[in-house]
Amino acid sequence: MITVAEAYSELNENYDAVLSRLMGKENLVIKYLTMFKNDATYDALTNAVSAGSAEDALRAAHSLKGMCFNLGLISLGTVCSDLVDAVRGGEYDLDQLYAPIKSEYEKTAEVLGRCLD
Amino acid sequence: MTKTKPTVLIVDDMEMNRVMLRDILTHDFEIMEASGGSEAIEIIEENADKISAVLLDAMMPDLDGFEVLKALSRRGLLENIPVIMISAENSPEYIARGYDLGVVDYIGRPFDPNIVHRRLSNVVMLYAKQNVLTELIKEQISQREENNSMLIDVLSSVVEFRNGESGPHVLHIRRLTELLLKELARLDSKYVMPPQDVAMWATASAMHDIGKIAIDDKILNKPGRLTDEEYNIMKKHSIYGYEILDHLNWHRSPLIEAAKQICRWHHERWDGKGYPDGLKGDEIPIPAQVVALADVYDALTSERVYKAAYSHEKAIDMITGGECGAFNPDLLKALTRMSGSLKKKINAAPEKNYDAIAEQIFEGLRERLDRV
Ligand SMILES: [Fe+2]
Ligand SMILES: [Fe+2]
């Protein structure tokens, strides 16, 4: 079991920034991280990509990006943002855009798994 | 003192986002939640009086934030309920689109809870003040209008009563003036005026005969025909009305200025053969022309001591046939065009019982005068 601060540093993210935004309340951070971990949006993204539905993928990636930024998970948020921009731009390869999201998400989920009970 | 918290509706398809906002705001706001666009519109429609502000996510699967804004604006709900948009999308075009559609503020993700709280509080306070002020002003205006109208109707009815013509005459003149002015505006854009001016002229029209208060009873209520001399005195009611209002020294009141014109010139004729000034054609202000026509029409269709009431159709024939004076051709055209619906509309005006009030006041006046 690691602390939230350790989890953020392992993910190369800035925990202090998140904590100060959430009024210094670590219990709130933990609450939101737990919700994030149990959230189905990433699964929806995975399904959309394997079904080849760019529109659904864009929507899921956009939602994921919002959650990530709020939680200070910038690396994951950024690759989600890349997918959103590329699909909006009209020239893209869904699988290619999905790959970094998958690896970032799995890494994040694994670290958070060790930190949340 | 328990202060009721303002209600905020949080609209977001993501549960985590809703929970975050609720945690930030729950101390100072009553929270409602919607997880989609259509649900949001439903809740806002049902609780429009209760909701002080809406926090709206831009991107939602069923109906996105922009569509929600359009729907709210179509229903006129955006005027009183401020919407703050929240989105992870921070591109200028996106933000501009939100503002174009009527959001009062735009907050990007990640947001700082303190800032969300503060911006929301400011917006809620601003709108609450505005709503209270708007209500206050509306109330005051309608009350003042109502008082104005009532006093003028009472005053006019006093004159009518003394004239032995009491009945719905004043109300008819008022209604006819309003209908004719509106029909003229439909006929030609040069007659278009703002609705509050139409209302003002209609109110002023009720005063057209107040000068009769200064005419001797014996002439005013003479059963037979007036002699030339008596008729000349009677004609002075137009000038008297003008002078009574002029002496009020309310020169800057548009209503009084309007009533002055109508009192003085409601017996002028298009061909210049009217009184008191013998004005001709366009020299006579349109509203005074309108009141002159309304006066003639209502006199024809009402019963008088010396005559039975003519039918609506007969009255229109007599007026357009030139039997009852000379009128502006545009005005006659307006009268003919609205003739079909006139009979119904003229009595559609709410009948307020000012006659009875006028009678009471008049009785009181007479008692006092008797004692002098
Ligand atoms: Fe959303
Ligand atoms: Fe008159």
Side-chain angles (χ1 to χ4, degrees), chain B residues 35-164:
Chain B
S35 59
S38 336
E39 191 192 350
I41 293 168
E42 239 168 74
I43 293 178
I44 294 169
E45 275 192 316
E46 271 169 40
N47 301 281
D49 293 338
K50 190 171 142 199
I51 294 174
S52 296
V54 177
L55 290 174
L56 181 65
D57 178 26
M59 207 184 211
M60 293 178 294
D62 70 324
L63 200 59
D64 70 24
F66 300 111
E67 293 304 320
V68 172
L69 284 169
K70 283 184 208 160
L72 292 180
S73 136
R74 270 198 302 274
R75 289 165 171 77
L77 291 165
L78 273 188
E79 279 167 41
N80 296 320
I81 303 177
V83 175
I84 297 174
M85 194 167 246
I86 301 189
S87 177
E89 199 64 50
N90 292 329
S91 72
E93 308 89 72
Y94 219 71
I95 297 173
R97 200 167 154 221
Y99 280 116
D100 283 345
L101 288 170
V103 303
V104 296
D105 207 346
Y106 194 101
I107 298 175
R109 287 184 215 280
F111 48 70
D112 179 324
N114 285 317
I115 287 182
V116 173
H117 191 286
R118 193 161 314 161
R119 287 201 194 166
L120 182 65
S121 302
N122 286 343
V123 161
V124 165
M125 213 146 62
L126 192 69
Y127 268 67
K129 274 189 202 149
Q130 257 173 27
N131 285 345
V132 168
L133 274 178
T134 311
E135 279 311 305
L136 259 178
I137 289 169
K138 265 196 219 155
E139 220 171 83
Q140 295 229 330
I141 286 178
S142 71
Q143 202 151 47
R144 214 183 56 182
E145 284 290 301
E146 177 80 2
N147 285 345
N148 264 349
S149 293
M150 195 185 72
L151 283 176
I152 286 160
D153 280 358
V154 167
L155 170 67
S156 312
S157 297
V158 166
V159 177
E160 293 291 321
F161 181 79
R162 183 157 175 272
N163 203 5

